[in-house]
Each structure stands twice: as structure tokens, then as C-alpha cells.
Amino acid sequence: MLKPQMEQLPEALHPLLQQNWDQVAPVLEQIKSSPTSFADDLTRTLTGSTFVAEQLSRHPEMLPELLTSGDLYSAYDEDHYQNSLKSLFAPLETEEQLHKAVRCFRQREQVRLIWRDLNRFSDMRTTTRELSWLADACVEQTMNWLYQQASERWGTPIGRESKEPQRMVVLGMGKLGANELNLSSDIDLIFVYPENGETQGSKKCLDNQDFFIRLGKKLIQALDNTTIDGFVFRVDMRLRPFGSAGPLAISFDAMEGYYQEHGREWERYAMIKARVMAGDKDAGNELMGILRPFVYRKYIDFSAFDSLREMKDMINREVRRKGLNNNVKLGSGGIREVEFIAQVFQLLRGGRDSRLQQRELCNILPLLPEAVGMPQVASDELMQAYEFLRNTEHAIQAVADKQTQELPTTEVEQLRLAFSMGFSTWDAFLNSLEEQRENVRQHFADLIAPCEEEDPEQTLTDQQLWLSLWKDELENIQAEAILKEQGFDTPEKAWALIDSLRQSKTVQMLQKIAQERLLLVLPALFQEVTKTDNPTETLSRVFELIQAILRRSAYLVLLAENPNALQQLVKLCSASNWFSEKLKTQPILLDELIDQNTLYTPTDKQQLDSELRQQLLRIPEEDTEQLMDALRYFKNAHVLKVAASEITGALPLMKVSDYLTWTAEVILEAVVDIAWRLMTEKHGLPQKTAGVPCNPDFIVLGYGKMGGIELSYGSDLDLVFIHDADPNLFTDGEKQIANAVFYTRLGQKIIHILNTFTTSGQLYEVDMRLRPSGNSGLLVSSLKAFAEYQQKEAWTWEHQALVRARVVAGDKALQTRFELVRAEILSKKRNTEQLLADVTEMREKMRQHLGSKESESDQVFHLKHDRGGIVDIEFLVQYLVLNYSNQYPELYQFTDNIRILDAVENVGLLEEQETETLREAYKAYRAVGHKQSMQDLSNTISASEMKDLRETVATIWQKVINK
């Protein structure tokens, strides 16, 4: 009887091994003969992998069969998996049989691969190569089986030009493309096909794209869905053109067009690893030839430096922000940094040196000394580190077949990992790991110089002066005299601030390294503060931030090593209390101050969309919490940039609102995508009509400031949700629910993602009260129900709100249908007297409830709600749209007040001077409102301010409304 070889293990691991051994004991009784080393090999495997123990227990026939076949002790050739699966699938008749067969096959091979990896029968490169072959075969053979079934049902897709049958091409990206899959990796795929056209040979004809999208969905379900037999591979399709928003499968022409017109630098980076791994490989290789110039430029591509520098900075920021030190892939000195080093040289020089046009990192690193002049010792150290890190990653994942790269935190799991890596103690392993990571850190830090080099203006004497203040080496009178000499407006208060921070418990309790980092920052900080117009107030604001980050001293390093970031911090805190408060509560945003070029140049909507998609791609789709945090960081970072640009005068008011609104729109699109995926994974797709799935037939309407493209920094979002599915039909998943229920839950999930407070704050406060019937109405209405409500039941104020309504996320086809409904409602012929009465009544109610008290009207002016303010202008515009749109359709073309006033002027409803006054007043009020917000002040100002504007607006109101 086989027994566990306990003497191999540290004593603390004996219970773990015994537990796993007991699981497989009944199986071992079946084994009559085995290799001499079998007991030792099984001991090492069951110590390192609970997954293997569970599989062998669940499938008693697996281990005897693996032994009898010799597969545990044999390497495979490239065709082994393909031939095995082809034979296995040949007799299958149903998709259910296919799903079971491919999962059982995968589990057997996973057990074999882990066995060979933990016992070092396979080295790292062999393991990753065989895993990639396994993925290739599972995708290829599963797709072939499904293609045959699909062709029998819908016909064979035929190319419009070639008249030839079409097959799908599957591109493997990332580690799969490079033949470097890890033990529990997902697979990044892109589906393409050669030509557009239609299917032939079936009663139901489909266009080729529809055919391949359906085939792609079937393939993903066959591989990705978790059943009682497990899963095959988690499939990630987000690297395809336009990401989650793009079609699942596209033609070669569309693929080429995308990379020519929309391809970003990070997509070039991703395409380095692209490989035709399944499907029509001849056609696929032609496509790769077409795309090669996009990836590899014919010249040394110095233009990529800025983008690569930005990617490097993004990696550094992510490590700091997320605290990834325990992650052997994403942490500092991890696998990702080795990959980045190699791929930088491929992007820069691959066009000129074809040797660098390879996917496998282990082939690239040895070439770098000769190809780009990298020192041989650096290449060797990176290669050794990469192998050590990948073996560590495999040992972590072997435990439970989970996609994780996190070092364990419990003593037993740490010892288990150390044992699997060949170390007797955790400390010995950790020392070796840290040595390898430190080598990677150094080479990563040396790669691509930072944008700026410090040119210190301070002399040693300056530094000594400021440090003597901090170290309390001076008498109070001397200290205050120095502060006054340095330009502090109230030196007594400034000295009190310095003394208070120095004496604070937080500073007193700082560890030595944090103390040293603080001393590095303070002299430069004091010097920058003296350059401001309000140094004492600025010092107070900046010290609040310093107090907030003292226990996370990596941020002090950031400020010490990036003098430009320190300069911008002081400058912006001086100008705005809002800014200092934002950074105090979200210090991770300090990263955004490093690059002055991006800080004061907010990105347009297309760039925002691309950047957010890139950030979300790096997060597993199933990790909703991390996706929510990424969305919040994205929003906070870009709002910060907009605020910085407005404070410094780089952006006018209208552009500020544009950028804030674009940021919200891009986030809403992403949130809808995430919510849609979560819902459809659970319940399947809702049906538009019987047999026709929705895609997604759902839109989000923005009302108020969102609809009017007038968002401010603290604006909530007035939203309404619309769908266009048959409410009597059901979803097509295993857990079917009615369409109406599906869309209600979809709406709830969207609100949850937006509203929920996490450690990174809240995305947006959502207000749904403008939906049909308000809070008592359905959360999500069909377009038909929405139209009927607006026609028959809506109040005048709801039609006023519709003036500013527009689609801000969702289905483009449904957007067009909504715009027709909106046009029909707004262009109705109305009774002018009744309309005036309704508008006046609602305006008075708002003024009484929200405006200044009558007793205060000669002292204060509420920018929004008082007579002659913002709401007067908005109501005036809405009245003109509702009363005259049946004559002038151009009045409802836009949803923002400025362009509506342009239309009012163009059709002659008001005189040019009047519309100009209203436009300028509207912009002036909002500009003051923004400034008040920046200083954390209310919308109430002195009654003596803006008096002429208010009176002019009130006069126009009187002329038009109270005529």
C-alpha cells in the first residue's frame, strides 16, 4: 500500500498532506504497479495541489488511466491535444455532450500538467507551451464541431467577392498568443472572418457577421460556462476592436480599418502577442500580414516613447495605488514589468529588426544584448527572474486551480508554496523572491527616462533653513521672523501650523523611513508655498493633505521624486480649497499631478473612452468590486484634471461642462456594459421578439444638467431608463425571467454601481424621479409606455424637463426611435395661455421653496432660484421650445440652453440683444457658481453683485412670460 513520504516535508505540512492523501486513498488501492518514484511524486503533488486531490477523488478512474497511458511521465508533441479531442468529439451529437466531454478532458490534462510542473518533469517553458497547445486544441476542435452544427442549421457562410465558404479565424492574445499560458489563465480571444456575405444551403439565410457572432457566442458558452463538470477556459473578449461595445466578430476589412483609424499605442502593445491559434489559419496569416505595419513601424519608432512612458507611469501608479506588493504578476518587480521591458524594445525597434518580431518573451530577452545593446548581465537577470516568478505563479495557482498571483498570507499556505518552490522555509523562499524582484525593479526603473529631470533651485542653505524651522532649532521670535522674511502673510499662524504638525501624534509615531521621507519633501514644499499669493492659507491646506498621507509614505516619495507634482500641488491648493479637500480624501489622485502636460490638458470623449476601456481590460470581468473602484478612480482623476484646468484659466466654463459631461457619459456606457454582462451571464439575453435576442435595446436618458451638457463638479445625474423588448417574453438563459423583470434588475444594478459608496467614494448620486409617474412608476419603461405617458398623462413641467433630455448611453437604434418620440411630444400644438399659466405657477413654487427668503432679498442673491437667476432663463427657454416648436423644429434640435437660445434668435422669437444678454447671463451665473463650488461655498452671493444682469433677465422674463 502506498504511503505518504512525510520525511520529505516540514512537519507543519504533514496534516495538509494527510488530508489530501486520505481523499485519494480509495483510488490508490486500484493501482497494482507504479514507477519507483511514484510515492515521492504523489507526495509532492498532493502537498502542492488540493485541486489534484479533489479531481482524483471525484474521478477514481483518472489516476490509474494516467499511469497506464504513461502520460504522467511523458511530454506531449504539438498535435497530441488536437488529435485526442478530434477523436473524442467525433461521435458526439448534442452540445450538452460536447460541454461535458471538453470539460472532463480539460480536468484530466490539468491534473497531468500540475503533476509534471510540481515535480519538475516539465520546466517552465514546457508547461506554458503545453498549456497553450491545450487551449489551442480546445478552441479549434470545439469551434469545428459547433461550426458543423451551425452550418446545418443556418447554412454555410459564403464570401460576397470570392464566392468561397468562410471559416472563422480566432486570434489568441496575451499569454495565449505567446504560447505562455499559466496554469489557471483566462484566454484573450478576437474573432474575425475574411469576408462579408450570406449563408447558403438553409431556409433561414443569415449575413456572415450574424453567423459568426452566433458561432462565437456558442464557442464562449462551451468553454467559459461553469457546469457540474467545471469549466474549460475563462474567455475574455475585451481586446477586440471597440472592446465590449464592439461586435463579437468582424470582417478582415473592418479589422484593418479599425487599426488604421482608431488603433491606440496600447493596442499596438497588445498586438505584439497576437497569434492565429484556431480556425482558417491561412486566411488568418494573411490578416496578420496586413496588420503587421500597425504593430511594427519600419523606422525606429521614437514617436512611441511618450505613450510607452505613459504606460510605464500607469504601471507605477497602479502598484502604488492598489498596494500590489504581494502580487507576483502585477506588483513591483513582477512578471508584468519583465514583459513590459521586452515589449518596449519590440515596439521601438521591431520594425527594423525582424528578430524582435516574435511573441515568446523567452525568445526575445536573450536577443536584447545584441539587438539593442542591453548589458548581458541585465538580460540574464531578467530571464532568471522571469522563470522564478512564473514558477511561483504556477505553484500558487496549482493549489486550487484559481486565477490568482497573490502570495499566501497564512503560515501553512506560505510553507506549502515554499516547499513547491524547493525551499525548506518561507523566509528562504521570500529572500530569493525579493532578490529576483529587486533585479526586475532596477531594470524597469532604468527603462525610459522620466519626462522631467529635477533642476533644484534650492541651495543647501535654503534646505538647512527650512529644516531648522521644522526641527525646532530656533526660538519662536526667530522662526516667525524668518517666515515673515520668506513672505508669509501671517507668520505667527504659519509657525503655529508648523509646530502643530511637528508635535502631532502621527508625526511623533512615524517610523524612521517615513520620517526621512518627510524631511525630503518639507524644504521644497515650504519653498513652493512662499511663491503663492496666500502662503499661510496654502500651508494650512497642504498640511492637511500631508497629515492624511503620512502613514502611506509612498506618496511622500512621489512628491520628493517629482518636483513638478509638488509645484502643481501647492499651486492648486493655493487656488482652491475644493482641490485640497479632494486630494486629502483621495490621495491616490496625487499621481495625476506628475505630468503637467496631461494635468492641464483634459482628454476628449474618444480618448476618455479609450483610456477607460484600457483600464478596465486589466481587471477580471468577474471582479465587480475592482471594476467599481477603477471607475471611481477614473472619474476622480479626470474631474481633478478639469478642475485644475479651470482654476488656472486653461479651460472656459463651457468646456469645463463639456469635459465633465463626457466623463459621465463614458462611465455610464461602461457601467451599462458591466451591468448587462452580469445580468446576461445569469439569465441569458432578453428577447426582442420570439427567437430574436435584444442587443441590448436599452438606453439611458440624461435629463437636467446631464442632458443639457452642463454638469458641474458635484452634480447628481437625473436619469431615465428605456427598453424596447416585448415585456411578455422571457430571457433565453438557464435561469429565465420575464423581460420586464430583467430590465428592472438591470436598472437596479446600474444604479447600484453608480450610487454605492466604496473606499474610493461614490461614482454619482442618481436621481430617477423624472421617470414616468416619478417614484411611484416603473424603474424601467418600454419606449411605447414612455411615449403613451408623455402623450396622455405627463404634466407641463415633465414636458419642460423633456426639452433637456437626450440619450447618454445605450443602443444607437433605440436612440433614434426615442428622438422621434421626443420630437413628436415637443412639437405638439399647445394652448399658449394654459402653457404660460403652468410655467408661471411652477416657477413661483420653486422660488418660494428654494429661493432666498423675502426678508433677505435685499441682502443676498441665490444664483439659481432667485428672480433674474438661472432658473428664470431655463424656464424662459423651455416655454419658447414648447410653445413654438410646432412652427420651428430647430428649437428642439439641441438640449443645451446656449444652442437653444441661438435657435430662438435665428427664428426671430427674441431680439439679438436679448438672446445675447440671456446667453452671457447664463454663462456668468454658472461661472460664479463653479467658483463658489471650488471654494466650498453655496450658490448664494451678495445682492449687490451682478445686479444689472439680474434686472435685465427679469425684464426679459416680464416681457415674454408676464406679458
Side-chain angles (χ1 to χ4, degrees):
M1 178 68 179
L2 291 165
K3 295 183 179 180
Q5 307 300 294
M6 293 293 186
E7 66 277 5
Q8 289 187 19
L9 277 67
E11 188 174 346
L13 291 177
H14 289 185
L16 172 68
L17 173 59
Q18 191 63 58
Q19 181 181 352
N20 285 346
W21 196 280
D22 290 345
Q23 271 200 81
V24 303
V27 177
L28 299 180
E29 294 176 2
Q30 304 175 34
I31 296 172
K32 306 304 180 188
S33 63
S34 59
T36 307
S37 66
F38 181 70
D40 289 342
D41 301 339
L42 184 60
T43 294
R44 178 166 286 278
T45 303
L46 293 182
T47 302
S49 179
T50 299
F51 167 79
V52 168
E54 290 171 350
Q55 289 298 315
L56 296 182
S57 172
R58 189 174 297 147
H59 305 284
E61 75 288 349
M62 186 182 288
L63 184 58
E65 190 274 328
L66 280 166
L67 270 174
T68 304
S69 66
D71 287 349
L72 281 180
Y73 295 95
S74 303
Y76 285 169
D77 59 38
E78 187 172 0
D79 295 328
H80 180 94
Y81 289 125
Q82 297 280 3
N83 294 334
S84 299
L85 278 174
K86 191 173 183 179
S87 300
L88 181 66
F89 289 174
L92 304 182
E93 296 180 354
T94 67
E95 284 186 43
E96 186 178 351
Q97 292 173 344
L98 175 74
H99 287 198
K100 183 176 182 63
V102 71
R103 279 159 179 72
C104 291
F105 182 86
R106 182 264 184 191
Q107 306 297 39
R108 175 195 189 272
E109 298 307 325
Q110 189 77 346
V111 166
R112 171 190 168 272
L113 287 161
I114 291 173
W115 180 289
R116 292 180 57 75
D117 186 75
L118 291 178
N119 286 290
R120 295 295 182 261
F121 298 134
S122 293
D123 61 16
M124 181 272 293
R125 295 190 71 176
T126 302
T127 297
T128 58
R129 185 167 55 245
E130 287 197 14
L131 279 160
S132 302
W133 289 346
L134 173 62
D136 287 1
C138 287
V139 173
E140 174 80 49
Q141 298 304 326
T142 303
M143 183 173 67
N144 288 346
W145 191 94
L146 291 168
Y147 179 87
Q148 186 62 38
Q149 298 291 311
S151 297
E152 291 174 7
R153 183 176 180 183
W154 297 309
T156 302
I158 303 296
R160 186 168 293 133
E161 301 296 328
S162 67
K163 309 301 181 188
E164 295 292 328
Q166 304 287 295
R167 291 180 61 216
M168 192 155 76
V169 174
V170 181
L171 301 184
M173 308 292 287
K175 285 186 168 62
L176 173 59
N179 285 306
E180 294 169 346
L181 272 191
N182 58 47
L183 272 176
S184 192
S185 180
D186 58 4
I187 54 176
D188 295 291
L189 305 180
I190 296 177
F191 298 154
V192 282
Y193 58 91
E195 289 181 64
N196 286 318
E198 293 183 339
T199 60
Q200 295 180 10
S202 173
K203 292 180 180 179
K204 186 172 184 178
C205 177
L206 300 177
D207 64 55
N208 285 356
Q209 184 172 47
D210 192 6
F211 177 91
F212 287 116
I213 286 175
R214 295 186 184 200
L215 176 62
K217 288 179 178 177
K218 291 280 189 185
L219 177 58
I220 293 169
Q221 289 171 1
L223 299 174
D224 189 279
N225 286 6
T226 300
T227 72
I228 193 172
D229 300 304
F231 65 95
V232 186
F233 287 98
R234 304 171 193 88
V235 179
D236 193 330
M237 298 296 300
R238 291 176 293 172
L239 285 176
R240 70 185 187 267
F242 298 110
S244 300
L248 195 64
I250 61 172
S251 67
F252 283 11
D253 285 346
M255 185 85 162
E256 181 183 6
Y258 172 82
Y259 285 110
Q260 284 181 352
E261 295 177 25
H262 304 287
R264 300 285 188 270
E265 207 64 43
W266 67 266
E267 288 176 303
R268 280 185 66 201
Y269 183 85
M271 285 298 291
I272 287 175
K273 302 281 192 183
R275 173 174 64 89
V276 181
M277 51 85 67
D280 190 338
K281 293 190 177 178
D282 290 339
N285 289 329
E286 288 179 21
L287 174 65
M288 296 308 295
I290 294 169
L291 297 180
R292 187 167 288 111
F294 167 73
V295 183
Y296 297 109
R297 308 285 161 81
K298 292 182 180 179
Y299 46 85
I300 295 178
D301 190 8
F302 293 109
S303 67
F305 268 111
D306 285 342
S307 295
L308 292 169
R309 184 181 290 116
E310 187 179 327
M311 287 185 210
K312 180 187 173 186
D313 289 344
M314 186 168 61
I315 291 170
N316 283 329
R317 288 198 301 270
E318 190 175 70
V319 170
R320 280 197 300 270
R321 190 169 75 244
K322 296 184 178 179
L324 296 170
N325 288 337
N326 273 348
N327 193 303
V328 297
K329 176 184 176 182
L330 302 177
S332 177
I335 295 166
R336 176 171 62 175
E337 292 182 5
V338 184
E339 294 171 338
F340 185 80
I341 292 168
Q343 287 176 262
V344 161
F345 290 114
Q346 289 182 273
L347 277 183
L348 294 176
R349 296 178 179 267
R352 291 281 294 272
D353 190 338
S354 60
R355 292 175 301 171
L356 297 177
Q357 295 182 16
Q358 301 184 59
R359 303 177 189 91
E360 294 83 352
L361 183 138
C362 292
N363 291 343
I364 294 297
L365 286 176
L367 294 173
L368 296 182
E370 182 182 344
V372 303
M374 175 182 280
Q376 185 65 51
V377 65
S379 172
D380 292 344
E381 285 177 351
L382 287 169
M383 194 70 201
Q384 291 163 14
Y386 183 70
E387 185 168 350
F388 188 93
L389 290 165
R390 288 302 303 270
N391 279 331
T392 301
E393 177 185 45
H394 287 167
I396 292 170
Q397 294 177 342
V399 172
D401 190 28
K402 288 185 178 177
Q403 187 185 11
T404 177
Q405 289 89 14
E406 292 285 335
L407 293 172
T409 55
T410 65
E411 185 177 343
V412 170
E413 290 302 320
Q414 289 173 342
L415 198 54
R416 169 191 254 181
L417 175 58
F419 175 76
S420 292
M421 288 295 292
F423 294 87
S424 58
T425 67
W426 172 249
D427 286 343
F429 163 73
L430 207 56
N431 289 337
S432 291
L433 174 65
E434 188 54 32
E435 181 182 342
Q436 300 294 347
R437 293 170 78 176
E438 183 55 38
N439 286 338
V440 175
R441 281 189 203 104
Q442 186 59 53
H443 298 307
F444 182 71
D446 293 342
L447 183 74
I448 306 181
C451 302
E452 60 190 9
E453 294 186 5
E454 186 175 354
D455 182 17
E457 297 177 4
Q458 293 172 297
T459 64
L460 183 60
T461 307
D462 291 329
Q463 292 178 1
Q464 287 176 331
L465 175 69
W466 293 117
L467 288 175
S468 68
L469 278 169
W470 176 253
K471 292 178 181 178
D472 200 15
E473 296 172 353
L474 304 171
E475 296 293 332
N476 287 358
I477 295 175
Q478 289 178 290
E480 290 169 9
I482 289 172
L483 289 169
K484 183 175 182 179
E485 184 182 316
Q486 293 294 325
F488 278 88
D489 44 346
T490 50
E492 301 86 355
K493 184 179 177 184
W495 176 237
L497 287 168
I498 294 170
D499 189 55
S500 175
L501 180 63
R502 183 180 57 246
Q503 299 292 342
S504 69
K505 186 176 180 181
T506 308
V507 169
Q508 297 297 319
M509 298 292 289
L510 284 180
Q511 294 180 349
K512 183 180 178 182
I513 188 169
Q515 289 274 10
E516 291 170 352
R517 289 172 174 178
L518 180 60
L519 292 178
L520 279 175
V521 170
L522 285 174
L525 175 66
F526 287 136
Q527 194 70 28
E528 287 301 322
V529 168
T530 63
K531 299 175 185 177
T532 65
D533 296 331
N534 54 340
T536 305
E537 182 61 33
T538 302
L539 186 68
S540 173
R541 293 172 181 176
V542 174
F543 269 11
E544 286 186 18
L545 171 64
I546 294 295
Q547 181 90 18
I549 65 174
L550 280 173
R551 295 192 186 279
R552 289 174 281 183
S553 61
Y555 291 121
L556 294 173
V557 176
L558 182 152
L559 293 172
E561 294 184 353
N562 295 276
N564 186 58
L566 183 62
Q567 290 167 14
Q568 303 316 313
L569 169 67
V570 172
K571 175 182 177 181
L572 294 166
C573 286
S574 172
S576 168
N577 188 52
W578 177 92
F579 210 94
S580 60
E581 286 293 321
K582 192 75 173 175
L583 287 171
K584 185 176 75 174
T585 56
Q586 297 287 324
I588 58 174
L589 297 173
L590 284 168
D591 283 319
E592 303 302 326
L593 305 181
I594 292 174
D595 188 348
Q596 189 172 347
N597 293 325
T598 60
L599 178 61
Y600 297 115
T601 313
T603 46
D604 62 25
K605 187 176 180 183
Q606 185 179 17
Q607 290 172 305
L608 284 168
D609 183 64
S610 176
E611 182 184 327
L612 180 57
R613 184 154 65 92
Q614 184 185 356
Q615 290 184 18
L616 296 181
L617 274 172
R618 300 196 305 276
I619 301 170
E621 284 188 316
E622 66 274 9
D623 193 341
T624 306
E625 182 178 345
Q626 199 179 152
L627 289 170
M628 288 170 68
D629 277 340
L631 287 167
R632 281 153 178 75
Y633 179 82
F634 176 84
K635 182 219 173 176
N636 288 332
H638 283 283
V639 169
L640 192 86
K641 290 178 181 179
V642 173
S645 300
E646 184 178 17
I647 288 168
T648 56
L651 271 188
L653 167 71
M654 300 297 287
K655 287 294 182 184
V656 168
S657 291
D658 284 350
Y659 283 114
L660 293 174
T661 306
W662 291 339
T663 301
E665 288 175 3
V666 166
I667 288 171
L668 275 171
E669 284 285 7
V671 169
V672 170
D673 284 345
I674 292 167
W676 178 262
R677 179 182 54 76
L678 291 171
M679 287 297 299
T680 53
E681 280 179 356
K682 187 173 183 180
H683 300 292
L685 293 166
Q687 300 297 292
K688 185 173 176 62
T689 57
V692 179
C694 295
N695 190 30
D697 290 278
F698 176 83
I699 53 175
V700 180
L701 306 183
Y703 278 70
K705 287 184 177 180
M706 182 67 178
I709 319 176
E710 295 168 0
L711 281 190
S712 186
Y713 297 103
S715 297
D716 58 7
L717 302 185
D718 293 298
L719 303 180
V720 170
F721 300 146
I722 303 287
H723 75 82
D724 197 26
D726 186 334
N728 297 314
L729 294 178
F730 289 76
T731 59
D732 63 0
E734 291 183 11
K735 296 182 179 178
Q736 289 188 344
I737 54 174
N739 284 350
V741 176
F742 175 92
Y743 281 110
T744 296
R745 292 183 186 175
L746 176 67
Q748 290 168 339
K749 200 164 287 292
I750 290 169
I751 293 170
H752 170 77
I753 295 172
L754 293 169
N755 261 354
T756 300
F757 279 93
T758 71
T759 53
S760 303
Q762 183 186 42
L763 262 180
Y764 293 98
E765 180 74 32
V766 177
D767 191 332
M768 298 293 298
R769 289 176 295 176
L770 288 174
R771 69 185 187 267
S773 300
N775 285 339
S776 62
L778 294 173
L779 187 65
V780 186
S781 299
S782 69
L783 183 62
K784 181 181 177 184
F786 177 86
E788 288 179 354
Y789 177 84
Q790 292 290 338
Q791 289 282 9
K792 298 175 182 177
E793 299 179 48
W795 297 85
T796 298
W797 65 264
E798 291 177 287
H799 288 171
Q800 286 179 248
L802 191 62
V803 171
R804 286 158 68 80
R806 64 188 178 91
V807 176
V808 293
D811 190 308
K812 298 300 180 188
L814 183 53
Q815 174 180 346
T816 302
R817 295 197 291 278
F818 163 77
E819 287 167 353
L820 292 174
V821 170
R822 176 177 176 271
E824 183 181 355
I825 300 300
L826 295 182
S827 60
K828 281 174 58 177
K829 178 72 175 171
R830 288 174 170 82
N831 181 299
T832 301
E833 288 185 9
Q834 184 61 51
L835 178 61
L836 282 169
D838 291 346
V839 170
T840 304
E841 181 185 0
M842 180 55 68
R843 180 69 194 97
E844 285 305 316
K845 281 183 180 178
M846 289 181 67
R847 189 175 292 154
Q848 289 171 18
H849 285 88
L850 302 170
S852 302
K853 295 178 182 177
E854 196 168 328
S855 59
E856 300 173 343
S857 60
D858 60 341
Q859 301 169 18
V860 296
F861 170 62
H862 194 290
L863 288 165
K864 188 171 181 181
H865 293 295
D866 281 353
R867 177 176 171 273
I870 288 174
V871 175
D872 274 4
I873 299 174
E874 291 176 342
F875 270 49
L876 188 64
V877 166
Q878 291 159 12
Y879 161 73
L880 292 170
V881 172
L882 294 178
N883 199 46
Y884 294 103
S885 284
N886 64 315
Q887 300 173 50
Y888 307 112
E890 52 265 61
L891 291 178
Y892 61 73
Q893 181 179 356
F894 297 108
T895 58
D896 60 288
N897 287 307
I898 299 300
R899 285 188 291 183
I900 296 175
L901 282 169
D902 290 342
V904 166
E905 179 184 319
N906 291 338
V907 300
L909 294 176
L910 291 178
E911 295 176 10
E912 180 180 345
Q913 185 59 44
E914 292 172 327
T915 55
E916 181 63 20
T917 297
L918 292 173
R919 281 192 294 262
E920 291 310 308
Y922 195 67
K923 288 189 280 187
Y925 291 153
R926 290 181 56 218
V928 172
H930 275 225
K931 288 178 182 176
Q932 295 286 101
S933 177
M934 286 286 98
Q935 297 299 339
D936 282 339
L937 299 173
S938 72
N939 274 329
T940 301
I941 61 174
S942 169
S944 61
E945 297 180 65
M946 311 184 86
K947 196 167 186 177
D948 291 342
L949 269 181
R950 291 157 46 201
E951 289 302 326
T952 308
V953 171
T955 299
I956 298 172
W957 171 274
Q958 192 70 22
K959 171 188 170 183
V960 177
I961 303 296
N962 292 340
K963 55 189 176 181

